[in-house]
Amino acid sequence: MLNYRCIPVGESAMLINFADKIDIRENVLIHKVVKALKKQINIIETITPAYSSILINFNACMITYREINEKVNQILTVFDTSSQDEQVKVIEIPVCYDDEFAIDIKEIAEFGNMSIADLIKLHTRDNYFIYMLGFMPCYPYLGTTPDRIGIPRLETPRGKVPAGSVALAGKQAGIYPVESPGGWHIIGRTPIVLYNPEEPQARYEAGNYLHFYPISKTEFYQIKELDNRGMFRLKERVLGTPFN
């Protein structure tokens, strides 16, 4: 049985809160709930999952908060939390850890009391689960960063972080899709374009995994050139379940 609470957010939005924690199993369940709500309620304008909540925007001229609250409760009170897990996608992301791009790599290595080579091996060892997209278009909130390199945020955010920067902040990780201010430590940079306003569809989605693999500085510029010409394709593979 789901443990949740619905609260109004303005005149045309509802927030469904689940347990307040960052947990892959709960987040996978949230994405299953999103699919069920989309399938069974056609009045929803947008539905946005986060770490432990779902925001529903609806047309208040077509349905009242009370009515949509009833529909949501009807669905969630009988929601099958034991349904089988679907296969999930792992997307391979090339990352250059050269000093030019990995502006905080020495500090992260010192934090973890390890060499830069060992840091790169650790960072490229695991798959990182995409909990949600937010902050800016196509920004993936990832987890879970190994404790040993879970360096806290910068005390003072930078005014500019280059697009493609791969970042760490405690248990979280992310990639800046465009140049922007940012307060996370930068461990490397990917040469691929993550956000194009002319083709805004993300190259990944919440519920996927990302796996980072190291490339040289020469490879960085080669891939960048191919990607700019639309000739580079990210490699993908499949996991049996989200928890493999």
Side-chain angles (χ1 to χ4, degrees):
M1 182 176 180
L2 287 173
N3 181 17
Y4 68 95
R5 184 167 68 99
C6 297
I7 58 175
V9 185
E11 296 181 348
S12 59
M14 165 191 284
L15 187 66
I16 309 173
N17 281 327
F18 299 87
D20 187 15
K21 59 183 178 179
I22 299 177
D23 179 82
I24 291 179
R25 290 183 181 275
E26 178 177 277
N27 194 258
V28 168
L29 183 61
I30 284 173
H31 289 293
K32 291 180 180 179
V33 170
V34 167
K35 290 179 180 178
L37 294 175
K38 285 181 176 179
K39 183 177 181 180
Q40 299 183 52
I41 306 178
N42 57 15
I43 302 297
I44 292 175
E45 292 189 333
T46 61
I47 183 165
T48 308
Y51 278 120
S52 57
S53 64
I54 300 170
L55 179 66
I56 295 176
N57 294 93
F58 57 91
N59 188 333
C61 295
M62 298 180 65
I63 189 170
T64 66
Y65 176 84
R66 180 176 179 178
E67 290 170 332
I68 199 164
N69 186 56
E70 289 178 354
K71 288 180 177 292
V72 167
N73 283 319
Q74 288 172 3
I75 294 168
L76 298 192
T77 52
V78 296
F79 186 81
D80 183 7
T81 59
S82 64
S83 60
Q84 292 295 313
D85 297 314
E86 301 175 0
Q87 291 185 332
V88 293
K89 186 186 298 184
V90 182
I91 301 169
E92 303 285 345
I93 303 294
V95 177
C96 183
Y97 297 91
D98 186 88
D99 288 347
E100 178 182 345
F101 307 128
I103 52 181
D104 296 317
I105 196 167
K106 292 179 181 178
E107 185 177 353
I108 299 169
E110 289 176 3
F111 176 86
N113 191 28
M114 64 178 68
S115 68
I116 289 177
D118 286 341
L119 171 59
I120 294 171
K121 287 180 182 179
L122 181 59
H123 187 247
T124 56
R125 182 191 67 186
D126 299 331
N127 300 321
Y128 285 76
F129 183 76
I130 305 178
Y131 285 92
M132 63 177 181
L133 303 182
F135 173 47
M136 63 180 71
C138 302
Y139 187 100
Y141 280 87
L142 307 170
T144 303
T145 299
D147 289 334
R148 192 172 177 185
I149 57 173
I151 189 168
R153 297 168 184 257
L154 296 168
E155 291 186 7
T156 303
R158 293 184 172 94
K160 289 183 180 180
V161 176
S165 294
V166 180
L168 305 177
K171 300 292 287 183
Q172 300 178 98
I175 313 175
Y176 289 84
V178 297
E179 182 183 274
S180 73
W184 293 19
H185 284 83
I186 308 304
I187 192 172
R189 192 184 305 174
T190 181
I192 64 173
V193 175
L194 300 178
Y195 174 67
N196 180 352
E198 296 180 359
E199 298 180 14
Q201 181 64 41
R203 301 173 82 159
Y204 39 71
E205 60 184 19
N208 294 158
Y209 277 95
L210 299 185
H211 183 266
F212 302 115
Y213 67 92
I215 58 173
S216 68
K217 195 171 180 179
T218 298
E219 290 172 314
F220 178 94
Y221 288 111
Q222 290 173 342
I223 292 173
K224 185 178 181 68
E225 174 64 21
L226 289 172
D227 197 48
N228 287 338
R229 293 160 56 190
M231 297 175 63
F232 183 78
R233 295 290 179 267
L234 295 174
K235 295 179 181 179
E236 300 178 359
R237 52 191 170 89
V238 173
L239 290 179
T241 77
F243 316 116
N244 280 9

